[in-house]
């Protein structure tokens, strides 16, 4: 996620001219084009984020409305709302849901009926986390989540990553000094955590210890080395959501460029999924695995009402 609610109106920095008129096609870096289509799930979403396929439905948040919405293939429904939350990401936690409340600097835990049963504001050392942004399962029942800090290239670099144990009782800061930590995913080898350092325009890699702690970082890839730049890119253009796909490729939402980069394990561009929303925020996979990709994004991330849309890409 990247939000401009606490920044100066910078809409002029990133032009949407040309981006919104892109054709809904699949672009391949080095292979013949495959038939693909893009359908709109929600054309009136208010800064959508955090898509999650669960219980045969698509769940996603509306940051600007502090909502969770669901889509069953035909109908959109508001599943949950909390004033001033700034809902930003979702993840399944046992039979519950965790919601990242970016504005409220908290996590909300919802039970199977959608009722909030716990609010978490502090890690286990008593430290507050600022701007919880995205989640990743650790593969052992626990959760990693990013806390981004302030979305401002001039602000101090305070982004962190935290780890919640499988019992939900212990939350530990496992990485810090990240220039706006954002999307994250456990790598294909299950031994590294990839973290989007959005305002540095790159993906970091951290080795994972047995207890969930993280080792020293390395740079996994810079976006400028993965794909050609788009016109009018600025300092806020960077990786937002990051997911390891069922096909073994990595899906990187490039916020500011209206596209998802699909990258192989050896860091080669496999394809690009282009959408009309310039500020692509996140991705999720549907019941057909990597043949169904849900993409969330905003047309304007700097000024209310933060119009956006949710798409379903299929092939």
């Amino acid at each position: 996620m990247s939000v401009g609610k606490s920044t100066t109106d910078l809409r002029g920095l990133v032009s949407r001219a040309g981006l919104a008129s892109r054709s809904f096609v699949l672009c391949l870096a080095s292979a013949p084009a495959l038939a693909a289509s893009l359908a709109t799930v929600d054309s009136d979403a208010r800064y959508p984020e955090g898509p999650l396929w669960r219980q045969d439905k698509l769940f996603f948040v509306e940051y600007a409305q502090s909502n969770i919405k669901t889509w069953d293939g035909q109908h959109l429904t508001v599943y949950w709302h909390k004033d001033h939350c700034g809902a930003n990401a979702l993840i399944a936690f046992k039979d519950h849901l965790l919601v990242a409340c970016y504005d409220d600097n908290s996590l909300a835990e919802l039970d199977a009926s959608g009722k909030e049963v716990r609010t978490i504001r502090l890690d286990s050392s008593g430290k507050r986390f600022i701007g919880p942004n995205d989640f990743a399962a650790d593969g052992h029942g626990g959760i990693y989540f990013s806390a981004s800090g302030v979305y401002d290239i001039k602000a101090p670099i305070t982004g962190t990553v935290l780890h919640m144990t499988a019992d939900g009782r212990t939350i530990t800061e496992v990485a810090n000094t990240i220039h706006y930590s954002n999307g994250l995913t456990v790598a294909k080898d299950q031994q590294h955590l990839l973290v989007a350092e959005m305002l540095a325009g790159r993906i970091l890699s951290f080795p994972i210890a047995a207890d969930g702690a993280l080792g020293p970082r390395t740079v996994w890839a810079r976006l400028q080395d993965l794909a050609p730049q788009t016109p009018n890119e600025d300092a806020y253009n960077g990786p937002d959501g990051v997911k390891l796909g069922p096909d073994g490729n990595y899906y990187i939402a490039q916020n500011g460029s209206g596209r998802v980069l699909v990258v192989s394990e050896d860091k080669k561009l496999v394809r690009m999924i282009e959408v009309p929303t310039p500020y692509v925020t996140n991705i999720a996979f549907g019941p057909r695995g990597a043949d169904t990709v849900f993409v969330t994004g905003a047309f304007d991330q700097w000024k209310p009402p933060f119009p956006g849309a949710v798409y379903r890409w299929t092939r």
Side-chain angles (χ1 to χ4, degrees), residues 292-309:
T292 304
V293 183
F294 293 100
V295 183
T296 53
F299 290 104
D300 191 337
Q301 71 168 3
W302 302 110
K303 183 178 179 181
F306 305 111

Side-chain angles (χ1 to χ4, degrees), residues 14-165:
V14 181
S15 171
R16 288 187 279 131
L19 288 170
S21 62
R22 289 178 176 177
S23 59
F24 304 160
V25 297
L26 169 66
C27 297
L28 291 181
S30 59
L34 301 174
S37 64
L38 193 73
T40 302
V41 169
D42 188 346
S43 62
D44 191 34
R46 300 302 185 187
Y47 213 114
E49 255 274 29
L52 173 67
W53 185 260
R54 186 171 186 260
Q55 300 172 340
D56 296 322
K57 295 180 181 179
L58 179 68
F59 288 68
F60 62 94
V61 300
E62 286 184 298
Y63 161 76
Q65 302 284 64
S66 289
N67 287 336
I68 298 174
K69 294 172 81 171
T70 61
W71 179 70
D72 63 4
Q74 293 184 317
H75 303 103
L76 289 161
T77 304
V78 175
Y79 176 79
W80 180 82
H81 172 85
K82 182 179 182 180
D83 289 344
H84 312 300
C85 165
N88 194 54
L90 297 171
I91 195 169
F93 185 60
K94 299 174 179 149
D95 63 341
H96 288 191
L97 276 176
L98 288 178
V99 187
C101 289
Y102 184 93
D103 287 355
D104 191 50
N105 297 317
S106 67
L107 305 182
E109 184 174 347
L110 312 182
D111 67 14
S113 68
K115 179 183 177 181
E116 185 173 349
V117 295
R118 183 167 62 138
T119 301
I120 307 167
R121 300 184 183 278
L122 306 174
D123 68 17
S124 295
S125 72
K127 180 181 176 182
R128 295 177 63 89
F129 40 84
I130 305 301
N133 200 328
D134 207 354
F135 294 110
D138 69 1
H140 304 284
I143 301 290
Y144 288 105
F145 66 96
S146 55
S148 304
V150 179
Y151 186 61
D152 187 338
I153 58 172
K154 298 179 181 179
I157 299 173
T158 59
T160 64
V161 175
L162 298 101
H163 180 253
M164 177 188 289
T165 53

Side-chain angles (χ1 to χ4, degrees), residues 148 244 250 287:
S148 304
L244 173 63
Y250 296 94

Side-chain angles (χ1 to χ4, degrees), residues 26 34-37 53 243-251 260 262-263 270-271 273 283-295 312-315:
L26 169 66
L34 301 174
S37 64
W53 185 260
K243 296 285 192 302
L244 173 63
D247 56 358
N249 293 317
Y250 296 94
Y251 289 68
V260 176
V262 184
V263 179
V270 177
R271 69 183 67 92
I273 300 172
I283 56 272
F285 305 97
R288 295 172 53 200
D291 286 341
T292 304
V293 183
F294 293 100
V295 183
R312 180 183 60 184
W313 176 91
T314 56
R315 66 170 179 177

